[in-house]
Amino acid sequence: MILQSLVKYYEILANDKDNNIPKLGYSKANVSYAVNLSLEGELLNIIPLKIGAQRGKKIVEVPQSMEVPDLGGKTSGVKSNFLWGNSNYFFGIDNKGKIKRSKECFEAFKQLHTRFLQDINNATAKAVVKFVSNWNIDKAMEHPALKDYLDEILTGANFVFKLNGGEFVHQNKEIRQAWERYKSNVDNLNVMQCLVTGKESSIVKVHPKISGVRGALSVGGSLVSFNERAYESYGREKEQGLNAPVSEYATFAYTTVLNFLLADSSHKLNLGDATIIFWAESPKKIYPDLMSLYINGGEVSNGENSVHDELAAREIKSIFEKITQGKPIGELSDVFDEKTNFHILAISPNAARLAVRFYISNSFGEFVKKIGKHYEDLRIEKQYPTDPDTFSVWRLLNETVSPTSKDKAATPLMAGAALKAIITDTPYPAGLYNAIMLRIKAEKDISYYKVSIIKAYLSRNTKKFEEVLTMALNEQSENSAYILGRLFAVLEKAQQDANPGINTTIKDRYFTSACATPASVFPVLLRLSQHHISKADYGYASDKRIADILDKLAMEKNPFPANLSLEEQGVFILGYYHQKNALYQKNNKKSEEK
């Protein structure tokens, strides 16, 4: 199913004239330099091909992505690419002191190009053959054309050929035609039925690597591979890809489009150890553009960093709210179709392989509705005017990590489970709620973000506390945990009124105990409050608030329970947050009136 969807998307992009995804027999490579040859095959000079790219606040030079011939099946051994490669293959030199291996690489490069190009009656092809035939690797380091770039050349930069400063050799029409004929006539004895296309075709034994997954090996990882006898079918020992037959065409298509998606940093997410990519069955970029903005809560990529764009977030939110409510989207109906199939794939590194965390397919509109439900569950009164209306999944997961931790990544399993819950509108993982509760008790920081997550979890995972899962304070609620949370906020305010500017409040000392074991703390806090009330200028106001809240507690029926469950502790925190917001909003209004 995953491979079929990827192959289908490849075909959509390949048929789109505005898209430059590599065609069959080619792949993308990062190229830093062109080796400029004369018609006689002499090395004239090295031409830099790097381009400027935004990285944070700086513009840096990076290799240029070019479509180059793809031989496929690249391994860690010596195997030359056709018309592109690094200094080992082009010049037989490196900076690792492996002289023997460098010579073997150049010999492989020389044999491949001589064999393939010598029969092409073309001046460009002959120039390359002359170059590889006459190049002296023993004097390569001393060549005047290489001196200026020697340090960078030896770091593994890729090269292509250019002829007399004009045409790139790998783009020569006759050479491309010869290459495509060669690729279509490659003999392969492994003809079987492809599991992806259903057609009888040549089967690939070793699938190309997938690059761009965070945490994976620099050379990439395999999505389809077999490394142990336990995973192989009977009679297919050590036959790798023949255990799950995928044709050369399907293998090329799914690996090419997967690398294409992973190379696009503005349309992928990194959550925990998982890399998330998404695509629509359409060549239009508006689908991933909108979904990326929506999942990120209005955060847009700015090179290496993400920047919150409140205006973009509100515009996207307004569009998607219309979709969620089944309302027409006006002129945007010509731009995208909410019934278009949409796919989300999460991949994690697993040694030399890649593991699929989850794969979900649905219509674009359904994904919008489910993500919209997540934002609706999160909605709560803001603590400060600067708090965003919505915030990204990354921000949500970041709340589960200690600010002092060296590793800022959320637990991988929880990150994957949380995103899956968001895009499928299923219960949030208990680990997310537990982690937030732990952070609150450790840091005593009851922030907008953390309380939003608590509200969302209780809204979706249980129906027991609906009366308190409101945007703002519900003074009519009779939920005891919620009332105790409110009472704690009022007691803290009484202390602050009595001691303006105090650095440490009862929240720092008693909040965790009051939240988990109210009976052991509240009698002490109530006695202490009388001291604060008597000391404050307007202590009677606090006294009245405390009395009003105590009236809601059934004093004759154990008003302070010995313990609160973990879910009730979340309700306690909600009550505290709502009441504290209400207290400070009243104070702000009074200040504005004065």
Side-chain angles (χ1 to χ4, degrees):
M1 185 67 183
I2 299 173
L3 300 190
Q4 285 176 330
S5 303
L6 288 167
V7 170
K8 189 173 183 180
Y9 186 52
Y10 170 78
E11 290 172 346
I12 290 170
L13 296 182
N15 291 325
D16 179 31
K17 62 180 181 181
D18 295 328
N19 204 292
N20 62 355
I21 193 165
K23 305 294 185 290
L24 183 61
Y26 298 90
S27 64
K28 290 282 185 181
N30 294 323
V31 181
S32 300
Y33 301 99
V35 176
N36 193 24
L37 301 180
S38 68
L39 285 171
E40 288 71 37
E42 295 172 340
L43 172 57
L44 298 177
N45 57 347
I46 299 294
I47 301 175
L49 297 178
K50 289 185 177 180
I51 56 176
Q54 190 80 34
R55 293 288 185 271
K57 296 180 180 178
K58 298 179 181 177
I59 294 180
V60 298
E61 288 193 332
V62 298
Q64 187 177 152
S65 179
M66 299 184 78
E67 186 182 85
V68 293
D70 179 30
L71 272 173
K74 184 69 179 173
T75 66
S76 57
V78 174
K79 185 177 180 182
S80 172
N81 288 311
F82 182 56
L83 293 177
W84 69 280
N86 59 30
S87 63
N88 278 317
Y89 292 92
F90 262 67
F91 307 117
I93 55 176
D94 70 2
N95 62 352
K96 300 174 183 174
K98 296 181 179 179
I99 299 173
K100 183 182 175 184
R101 188 180 186 282
S102 295
K103 286 184 178 179
E104 290 174 354
C105 290
F106 179 75
E107 282 303 316
F109 186 76
K110 179 180 176 180
Q111 288 176 17
L112 172 69
H113 288 76
T114 303
R115 175 165 50 86
F116 191 87
L117 296 173
Q118 66 181 357
D119 294 331
I120 300 176
N121 189 19
N122 174 296
T124 305
K126 292 188 183 304
V128 175
V129 173
K130 288 176 185 174
F131 169 76
V132 295
S133 300
N134 298 328
W135 181 253
N136 186 348
I137 59 176
D138 294 329
K139 296 184 177 178
M141 292 281 198
E142 301 163 12
H143 197 288
L146 301 183
K147 279 186 177 178
D148 292 342
Y149 302 97
L150 204 52
D151 289 340
E152 294 181 60
I153 284 172
L154 296 178
T155 58
N158 283 325
F159 300 83
V160 292
F161 285 115
K162 223 175 192 325
L163 189 66
N164 273 338
E167 177 186 48
F168 286 110
V169 173
H170 65 278
Q171 293 177 351
N172 180 270
K173 186 177 179 181
E174 291 178 46
I175 293 176
R176 283 178 72 96
Q177 288 173 343
W179 171 252
E180 288 160 15
R181 282 197 302 274
Y182 165 78
K183 288 294 289 182
S184 62
N185 295 322
V186 172
D187 293 333
N188 195 320
L189 299 176
N190 302 313
V191 176
M192 298 170 66
Q193 185 178 34
C194 173
L195 293 178
V196 178
T197 64
K199 298 176 182 175
E200 295 278 337
S201 185
S202 299
I203 302 302
V204 175
K205 288 188 73 173
V206 179
H207 291 225
K209 303 286 186 185
I210 306 297
S211 302
V213 176
R214 190 172 71 167
L217 299 178
S218 58
V219 295
S222 298
L223 195 61
V224 180
S225 70
F226 299 83
N227 68 329
E228 293 288 349
R229 178 69 188 92
Y231 310 121
E232 296 174 331
S233 302
Y234 178 74
R236 293 289 182 199
E237 295 88 349
K238 297 183 179 179
E239 291 194 347
Q240 290 284 332
L242 300 189
N243 287 278
V246 180
S247 65
E248 285 192 3
Y249 168 72
T251 303
F252 167 79
Y254 95 76
T255 53
T256 300
V257 80
L258 202 48
N259 281 319
F260 174 81
L261 289 165
L262 287 164
D264 185 359
S265 59
S266 60
H267 293 137
K268 70 175 180 181
L269 303 173
N270 292 312
L271 295 177
D273 71 339
T275 300
I276 319 292
I277 53 173
F278 35 83
W279 68 95
E281 291 182 4
S282 166
K284 293 181 179 178
K285 286 189 70 178
I286 191 170
Y287 292 98
D289 283 345
L290 289 174
M291 188 57 75
S292 181
L293 265 174
Y294 200 43
I295 291 180
N296 278 322
E299 288 185 2
V300 293
S301 177
N302 177 17
E304 293 178 342
N305 304 314
S306 291
V307 179
H308 187 81
D309 187 336
E310 190 64 31
L311 182 61
R314 287 181 181 171
E315 287 182 1
I316 297 297
K317 189 182 170 190
S318 67
I319 296 168
F320 286 0
E321 276 181 354
K322 289 180 181 176
I323 295 175
T324 305
Q325 295 163 10
K327 295 180 180 176
I329 51 178
E331 59 187 19
L332 284 173
S333 58
D334 296 332
V335 181
F336 69 89
D337 181 3
E338 58 188 274
K339 293 179 181 175
T340 301
N341 288 334
F342 199 81
H343 308 268
I344 299 179
L345 174 64
I347 310 172
S348 297
N350 183 10
R353 291 162 184 80
L354 302 177
V356 174
R357 284 273 183 207
F358 62 80
Y359 166 71
I360 299 168
S361 181
N362 209 328
S363 71
F364 184 72
E366 281 301 312
F367 275 121
V368 168
K369 290 175 184 174
K370 294 179 191 304
I371 297 171
K373 177 70 167 48
H374 162 68
Y375 287 132
E376 186 61 31
D377 289 338
L378 283 174
R379 282 186 67 196
I380 196 166
E381 190 178 39
K382 293 180 185 179
Q383 190 173 16
Y384 304 108
T386 53
D387 288 332
D389 291 336
T390 57
F391 53 92
S392 66
V393 182
W394 172 85
R395 188 73 172 84
L396 179 147
L397 294 172
N398 195 45
E399 290 298 320
T400 66
V401 182
S402 169
T404 58
S405 171
K406 291 182 180 177
D407 183 4
K408 298 297 181 187
T411 310
L413 284 176
M414 184 184 67
L419 182 63
K420 190 175 180 182
I422 291 168
I423 60 180
T424 56
D425 190 22
T426 51
Y428 295 106
L432 174 66
Y433 182 76
N434 295 341
I436 291 295
M437 295 297 288
L438 277 174
R439 296 279 24 106
I440 286 178
K441 291 177 181 178
E443 300 160 15
K444 310 293 187 300
D445 176 27
I446 298 91
S447 68
Y448 165 69
Y449 299 100
K450 289 186 174 69
V451 180
S452 295
I453 297 167
I454 288 173
K455 175 182 173 285
Y457 179 88
L458 295 176
S459 299
R460 186 173 293 192
N461 291 49
T462 176
K463 301 296 181 186
K464 292 189 292 184
F465 310 108
E466 287 184 354
E467 65 174 289
V468 298
L469 301 176
T470 52
M471 278 282 292
L473 179 64
N474 179 5
E475 293 182 329
Q476 308 307 315
S477 172
E478 295 183 354
N479 183 293
S480 60
Y482 187 75
I483 294 170
L484 289 173
R486 290 183 58 198
L487 179 60
F488 193 91
V490 171
L491 294 172
E492 184 188 30
K493 182 70 169 58
Q495 183 190 27
Q496 289 172 328
D497 287 346
N499 303 285
I502 186 172
N503 291 326
T504 304
T505 69
I506 59 171
K507 184 182 77 171
D508 302 295
R509 187 172 177 186
Y510 295 105
F511 189 85
T512 302
S513 302
C515 187
T517 56
S520 66
V521 174
F522 273 97
V524 177
L525 294 178
L526 286 171
R527 284 197 297 274
L528 192 60
S529 69
Q530 294 307 307
H531 167 69
H532 296 145
I533 289 168
S534 64
K535 189 177 174 183
D537 292 338
Y538 301 97
Y540 61 89
S542 294
D543 194 26
K544 185 174 185 307
R545 290 192 199 107
I546 293 170
D548 289 345
I549 293 176
L550 285 175
D551 282 346
K552 291 186 172 296
L553 290 172
M555 299 305 290
E556 68 283 0
K557 295 181 183 177
N558 185 23
F560 304 119
N563 300 288
L564 293 180
S565 68
L566 198 60
E567 289 181 345
E568 289 171 329
Q569 291 177 38
V571 174
F572 179 98
I573 293 167
L574 267 175
Y576 172 82
Y577 179 85
H578 280 160
Q579 183 65 59
K580 191 167 182 179
N581 261 11
L583 288 170
Y584 283 93
Q585 280 182 1
K586 285 178 183 176
N587 286 343
N588 290 339
K589 284 180 183 176
K590 286 179 183 176
S591 301
E592 289 172 4
E593 288 170 4
K594 289 177 182 178

